[in-house]
Amino acid sequence: MNIVVRGRVANGENITEFHEVISVIFNLQPIIFAFNVIERNYQELTDSIQEHCSQLDNSLTITAKPISLIMNGKILAIQKISNFLSSTSAFLDQTETQLRRVHGEDSPELNAWDEKRKDLHASTFSYRFLYELRHFSQHRSLPFSSFNIAGRRTSQNAPLLFRAEPLILRDELLKDGWNWKKLQIEIQQQPPEFELLPLITEYLHCLRQLCLEAVQFQSVRLAECAHYFDAMRRSLEIPTGAVPVIFIGESTSKEIPPSRHEAIPMEQFEYLLREYDKLLNTCET
């Protein structure tokens, strides 16, 4: 690779300031990463159902038997829904832990985030139901009652087009013997059959709002980091696409920089800004 030393010697005060400014990146990464896992699990779930329907649409032209396809599709849906529910729980716990670590045990930030979580939990059935469904699917049974598959033709001679949807059968759920606590009455008020995927989508939106809430506590620090990196790019004349680093120690020659170095996390920062912008846009819609 091409290495060009453009900087100047940094003293201890410079390095301390540098680490203080960039700390916002590593304070927010665990929260953003945990939420990214939720989003990817959600996307994998919806993609797997769509792919399963496509396989059923083409089942007459492939060697696999339709029943085998249906069984495989159901198992895949169980896997993806279970992954999604597990990642939501991990996100909530890890975000709370990170806010406590960064802002303090009884900080205004942690308390405000916790109030936001409680408000969403209290106002949204999907939040309450899916939060408890994770416990149910972990200790009792599958995360849905029925994997409903229906095919229809757009005209008499048209091929069958399939739709698959995980369903909750209200009465079966209530007869299972699981202690649904305060949700018991709410579940009784649901239709005899109700779709799970719309509830998952709504729950995802609630979690997205909680992620945005946690990130916004650091909005001032993000702006400070942006100004710091802009000044660094200008003063050090960092070329586009270059990976800037701080070399540590003495060089053995003028042509060879020290072997030890610390990366300046500009790419990680840009990633955080993109995720922050995406949260702002999706939470507004």
Side-chain angles (χ1 to χ4, degrees):
M1 67 180 71
N2 294 324
I3 297 176
V4 178
V5 179
R6 295 179 178 268
R8 61 185 67 89
V9 176
N11 58 36
E13 184 177 343
N14 298 146
I15 296 299
T16 299
E17 180 188 37
F18 169 73
H19 286 136
E20 175 63 23
V21 171
I22 69 169
S23 63
V24 64
I25 300 171
F26 304 104
N27 289 339
L28 288 179
Q29 271 187 351
I31 297 173
I32 291 292
F33 287 170
F35 183 72
N36 285 163
V37 173
I38 294 175
E39 287 192 308
R40 292 190 182 193
N41 283 333
Y42 175 82
Q43 190 62 52
E44 286 184 8
L45 169 61
T46 55
D47 288 348
S48 67
I49 292 177
Q50 184 176 357
E51 175 63 23
H52 180 57
C53 292
S54 297
Q55 291 177 347
L56 290 172
D57 292 342
N58 299 318
S59 59
L60 294 179
T61 62
I62 59 179
T63 57
K65 296 180 180 179
I67 296 300
S68 298
L69 286 176
I70 292 171
M71 297 298 291
N72 288 335
K74 182 173 183 178
I75 292 170
L76 195 59
I78 293 168
Q79 175 195 346
K80 301 303 182 184
I81 292 172
S82 298
N83 289 346
F84 174 83
L85 294 176
S86 296
S87 63
T88 61
S89 178
F91 164 75
L92 291 170
D93 290 343
Q94 291 170 17
T95 299
E96 181 179 2
T97 298
Q98 191 66 8
L99 290 175
R100 182 178 290 108
R101 180 180 294 125
V102 173
H103 298 287
E105 177 64 39
D106 196 32
S107 62
E109 292 84 359
L110 177 60
N111 291 334
W113 184 84
D114 195 45
E115 283 301 313
K116 177 78 170 180
R117 174 171 61 171
K118 290 176 180 176
D119 288 344
L120 287 169
H121 183 275
S123 62
T124 314
F125 171 72
S126 61
Y127 191 133
R128 295 190 296 277
F129 179 68
L130 290 171
Y131 187 83
E132 188 60 32
L133 185 66
R134 185 190 72 83
H135 298 292
F136 174 82
S137 63
Q138 183 176 0
H139 301 289
R140 194 74 176 190
S141 187
L142 302 180
F144 55 83
S145 310
S146 172
F147 193 58
N148 186 54
I149 296 175
R152 66 180 183 87
R153 302 180 192 273
T154 56
S155 63
Q156 183 176 359
N157 297 321
L160 275 173
L161 296 178
F162 286 90
R163 183 182 179 212
E165 52 189 2
L167 297 177
I168 299 294
L169 304 182
R170 180 196 62 199
D171 295 339
E172 285 190 12
L173 201 67
L174 293 173
K175 288 189 299 184
D176 188 85
W178 179 256
N179 181 13
W180 291 99
K181 305 171 187 175
K182 295 180 180 180
L183 275 173
Q184 184 86 11
I185 296 176
E186 288 189 89
I187 294 174
Q188 291 172 350
Q189 295 170 345
Q190 300 305 309
E193 296 182 359
F194 55 98
E195 296 180 29
L196 184 58
L197 193 55
L199 297 179
I200 289 176
T201 303
E202 187 177 36
Y203 187 33
L204 173 64
H205 186 63
C206 291
L207 298 173
R208 185 177 287 119
Q209 293 178 64
L210 288 174
C211 186
L212 176 60
E213 181 85 358
V215 173
Q216 283 184 317
F217 295 140
Q218 297 280 329
S219 59
V220 173
R221 298 289 305 278
L222 286 170
E224 291 173 351
C225 191
H227 292 312
Y228 185 88
F229 280 161
D230 285 342
M232 182 177 285
R233 287 190 182 94
R234 290 193 304 270
S235 64
L236 299 181
E237 300 179 342
I238 299 174
T240 302
V243 180
V245 302
I246 297 174
F247 289 107
I248 302 170
E250 296 293 334
S251 174
T252 57
S253 70
K254 292 183 178 181
E255 292 76 22
I256 302 175
S259 58
R260 291 180 60 208
H261 64 270
E262 177 180 353
I264 300 174
M266 290 184 174
E267 288 295 324
Q268 292 94 319
F269 179 69
E270 292 298 327
Y271 172 79
L272 282 182
L273 290 185
R274 289 194 299 272
E275 292 300 306
Y276 185 22
D277 187 61
K278 186 169 70 173
L279 286 168
L280 287 169
N281 292 331
T282 53
C283 286
E284 288 177 356
T285 58

